[in-house]
């Protein structure tokens, strides 16, 4: 089933640092310390495995605050989000601001999007590389003192966020198949001085780029 909890943390970036490989398990992270009214959160952004063949993919781009809907106007703190387009939730596949598509694109059924894709033009491409490449792509937008929005699943205990990556499209047979769902993707956004947001999206090479209404691969 999809995550029981999903939301966004609004706060101020205090610090960021990479995992020390000897101190962590298979999954490598860039960690953010984010200040919010109830304390300092640790946000673990997955940038792939340092000891497996699973690849990581990412995009870095900038969007207007208005393109993010209600999420950009939330007060500092953690906020639960409904798994719907109107709540401010993110979906890499369906959210127009995350695809480089016109706003009406997300309202079309999947078969029609596939048919029209050659006419509309390509979406923003994914970049593939190592966990180090992904970390190097993320870190330039992590300016200390910037307001941040971190989307994902809150820790079950303590202040923190994880599953800060695509949370749909995992293949049948994988340990994450049951957590597939739409409008529950994680992401890292930092607000620029001009009010726009720099966006870092990240997914694993095994995750599909097209999913059905349950978040499973098509």
């Amino acid at each position: 089933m999809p995550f029981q909890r999903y939301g966004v943390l609004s706060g101020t970036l205090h610090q960021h640092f990479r995992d020390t490989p000897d101190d962590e398990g298979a999954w490598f992270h860039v960690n953010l310390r984010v200040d919010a009214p109830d304390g300092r959160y640790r946000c673990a952004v997955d940038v792939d495995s340092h000891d497996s063949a699973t690849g990581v993919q990412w995009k870095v781009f900038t969007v207007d605050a208005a393109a993010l809907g209600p999420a950009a106007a939330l007060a500092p703190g953690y906020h639960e989000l409904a798994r719907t387009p109107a709540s401010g939730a993110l979906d890499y596949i369906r959210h127009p601001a995350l695809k480089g598509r016109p706003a009406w694109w997300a309202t079309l059924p999947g078969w029609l999007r596939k048919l029209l894709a050659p006419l509309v033009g390509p979406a923003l491409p994914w970049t593939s590389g190592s966990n180090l490449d992904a970390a190097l792509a993320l870190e330039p937008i992590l300016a200390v003192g910037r307001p941040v929005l971190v989307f994902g699943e809150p820790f079950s205990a303590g202040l923190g966020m994880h599953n800060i990556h695509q949370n749909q499209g995992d293949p049948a047979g994988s340990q994450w198949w049951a957590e597939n769902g739409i409008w529950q993707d994680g992401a890292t956004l930092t607000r620029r001085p001009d009010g726009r947001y720099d966006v870092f999206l990240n997914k694993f090479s095994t995750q599909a780029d097209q999913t059905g209404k349950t978040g499973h691969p098509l």
Side-chain angles (χ1 to χ4, degrees):
M1 62 180 294
F3 297 145
Q4 291 187 350
R5 298 185 65 193
Y6 169 74
V8 60
L9 171 66
S10 174
T12 302
L13 183 63
H14 171 78
Q15 179 190 24
H16 68 85
F17 58 94
R18 300 178 189 173
D19 283 347
T20 300
D22 291 342
D23 295 337
E24 290 292 328
W27 300 99
F28 192 77
H29 307 90
V30 173
N31 298 276
L32 281 58
R33 301 287 189 188
V34 176
D35 288 334
D38 53 340
R40 182 166 292 162
Y41 285 70
R42 182 174 77 87
C43 303
V45 183
D46 292 84
V47 287
D48 197 27
S49 168
H50 54 77
D51 62 2
S52 85
T54 301
V56 65
Q57 299 177 312
W58 63 89
K59 301 180 184 183
V60 185
F61 54 95
T62 303
V63 298
D64 291 335
L68 301 173
L74 291 171
Y78 173 75
H79 303 268
E80 291 283 330
L81 296 176
R83 318 307 163 78
T84 65
S87 72
L90 298 187
D91 187 305
Y92 289 8
I93 294 168
R94 295 163 182 82
H95 196 301
L98 306 187
K99 290 286 289 178
R101 305 288 198 186
W104 48 263
W105 185 260
T107 67
L108 301 178
W111 66 267
L112 188 54
R113 291 199 301 269
K114 184 175 181 180
L115 182 66
L116 293 178
L119 301 176
V120 175
L124 293 169
W126 290 101
T127 300
S128 299
S130 68
N131 60 75
L132 177 59
D133 295 329
L136 289 170
L138 168 59
E139 288 167 342
I141 75 169
L142 300 179
V144 172
R146 270 192 178 188
V148 298
L149 295 173
V150 181
F151 292 79
E153 182 182 24
F155 288 168
S156 57
L159 297 178
M161 302 281 286
H162 65 146
N163 283 320
I164 306 170
H165 53 72
Q166 179 170 306
N167 292 308
Q168 59 182 310
D170 281 296
S174 86
Q175 67 187 92
W176 300 285
W177 166 267
E179 294 184 343
N180 281 336
I182 62 174
W183 295 103
Q184 62 165 23
D185 287 332
T188 307
L189 292 78
T190 68
R191 195 172 76 205
R192 299 157 54 106
D194 63 7
R196 296 185 297 163
Y197 280 84
D198 289 330
V199 181
F200 180 83
L201 306 185
N202 46 312
K203 66 186 286 289
F204 302 113
S205 61
T206 50
Q207 293 177 310
D209 291 326
Q210 294 294 326
T211 64
K213 62 182 180 180
T214 60
H216 295 315
L218 290 176

